[in-house]
Amino acid sequence: MGKPRVAFFDFASCEGCQLQVYNLEEDLLKVLDAVEVVAWREAMKGHSDDYDIAFVEGSILRQSDELRLRQIRRNAKILVALGACATIGGINNIKNFQEQEAVRQFVYGNKALDYETYPARPLKAVVPVDFEIHGCPITRKEFTTVLKALLLGKKPEIPNYPVCVECKMAQNICVFEKGMTCMGPVTRAGCEACCVTEGSICWGCRGLVDDPNIHAQVEVLAKYGLSVEDILRKFQLYADFSVIKDEQ
Ligand code: SF4
Ligand code: SF4
Ligand code: SF4
């Protein structure tokens, strides 16, 4: 039996998550030893539509994206969403809070009518997605963890607890103590709270924990007089599509 055939695809994105894979350094050689990459526009010239696993980066922004994504879904046995743009809509969701025609005019000017576009959405709003690798960008470690699990026929273990847990383990001072606000109580862990450790806040790039009202660090928010709903309203940078879709 040959190696599993892997393909990479991108939609609306900065391609930074694919770059993380490209930058695996010596681990990239191990990946290339374990799989056969048959399509990867960012890294190679060849292309085949015969693949087992598709890693798909980026958000869906237009009807033609949907058609292409559906074809990728038909071709792939396993489809993995790669990064925040693909898992939650990512920073592309910012446009969803604007008047769509104004956004189109701003970007394309007098050519606006030549370009189709609609509010950004993650892959799972269009096709079934088997697994998600979170973050903006993804971490190289999580990519290799997920790939290893898939190659072993196992379900990848993705954290379903808040960033606050990792933040406390990193012994950070909570930014609420400094008068700032933070998405950590409702955001899925797995990044070791790197942004807080580096002196910033959590912006929520890994998306929400499942059912934030149950799994959030509600006591952290309550201590500062906030609720889960307050924090979700406050942050729009990585506004999770699952939260904003009802408002569109
Ligand atoms: S999730 Fe972030 S790093 Fe990845 S493609 Fe989107 S914008 Fe770029
Ligand atoms: S709210 Fe933010 S800063 Fe405070 S513990 Fe949670 S992740 Fe860390
Ligand atoms: S701390 Fe928050 S914003 Fe930073 S990488 Fe982790 S989930 Fe993303």
Side-chain angles (χ1 to χ4, degrees):
M1 204 172 78
K3 295 176 187 178
R5 293 166 68 83
V6 169
F8 290 85
F9 299 99
D10 45 79
F11 289 87
S13 64
C14 79
E15 302 190 9
C17 290
Q18 289 181 82
L19 206 56
Q20 286 288 82
V21 181
Y22 198 60
N23 285 340
L24 279 171
E25 297 170 355
E26 65 265 29
D27 280 346
L28 184 60
L29 297 177
K30 292 181 196 158
V31 168
L32 295 176
D33 209 31
V35 304
E36 182 183 357
V37 180
V38 300
W40 192 357
R41 185 192 54 76
E42 192 174 87
M44 60 188 265
K45 282 188 180 153
H47 178 92
S48 168
D49 287 325
D50 177 14
Y51 41 84
D52 304 301
I53 305 172
F55 288 99
V56 184
E57 179 194 61
S59 311
I60 303 306
L61 291 187
R62 50 195 176 166
Q63 288 293 339
S64 56
D65 288 345
E66 291 194 17
L67 295 176
R68 190 171 148 241
L69 179 61
R70 288 203 174 94
Q71 188 58 55
I72 294 169
R73 176 68 272 188
R74 279 193 287 275
N75 292 349
K77 295 187 182 82
I78 297 172
L79 190 148
V80 184
L82 197 63
C85 294
T87 57
I88 57 174
I91 56 172
N92 295 310
N93 283 342
I94 292 172
K95 104 194 244 284
N96 298 5
F97 295 98
Q98 317 292 323
E99 207 277 300
Q100 292 302 298
E101 203 44 48
V103 169
R104 198 151 69 134
Q105 287 285 342
F106 181 79
V107 174
Y108 300 115
N110 60 10
K111 301 277 187 210
L113 291 178
D114 295 348
Y115 294 93
E116 51 160 341
T117 184
Y118 61 42
R121 58 204 61 194
L123 306 187
K124 63 190 167 205
V126 178
V127 297
V129 169
D130 299 304
F131 301 106
E132 295 183 323
I133 304 179
H134 299 279
C136 177
I138 61 164
T139 69
R140 290 179 281 182
K141 185 174 161 200
E142 196 160 52
F143 176 83
T144 48
T145 301
V146 169
L147 181 60
K148 270 187 212 161
L150 296 181
L151 296 181
L152 293 170
K154 293 182 178 171
K155 186 176 172 212
E157 295 287 332
I158 303 293
N160 188 28
Y161 48 85
V163 169
C164 291
V165 174
E166 293 177 337
C167 193
K168 286 173 183 164
M169 284 167 70
Q171 300 188 326
N172 291 323
I173 296 170
C174 181
V175 300
F176 281 103
E177 298 284 345
K178 303 173 191 170
M180 297 150 83
T181 45
C182 178
M183 280 286 276
V186 294
T187 300
R188 185 183 301 277
C191 58
E192 298 173 3
C194 57
C195 299
V196 182
T197 302
E198 294 296 325
S200 184
I201 61 169
C202 173
W203 298 91
C205 82
R206 291 180 57 85
L208 301 177
V209 284
D210 295 343
D211 199 344
N213 273 306
I214 295 172
H215 296 289
Q217 296 284 101
V218 285
E219 72 279 10
V220 172
L221 295 173
K223 188 174 164 192
Y224 298 97
L226 293 166
S227 66
V228 167
E229 287 69 30
D230 290 332
I231 205 87
L232 292 180
R233 263 196 301 272
K234 187 168 176 61
F235 283 85
Q236 294 189 348
L237 182 58
Y238 287 104
D240 193 304
F241 184 80
S242 64
V243 175
I244 62 176
K245 69 181 175 189
D246 295 336
E247 297 167 13
Q248 293 174 354

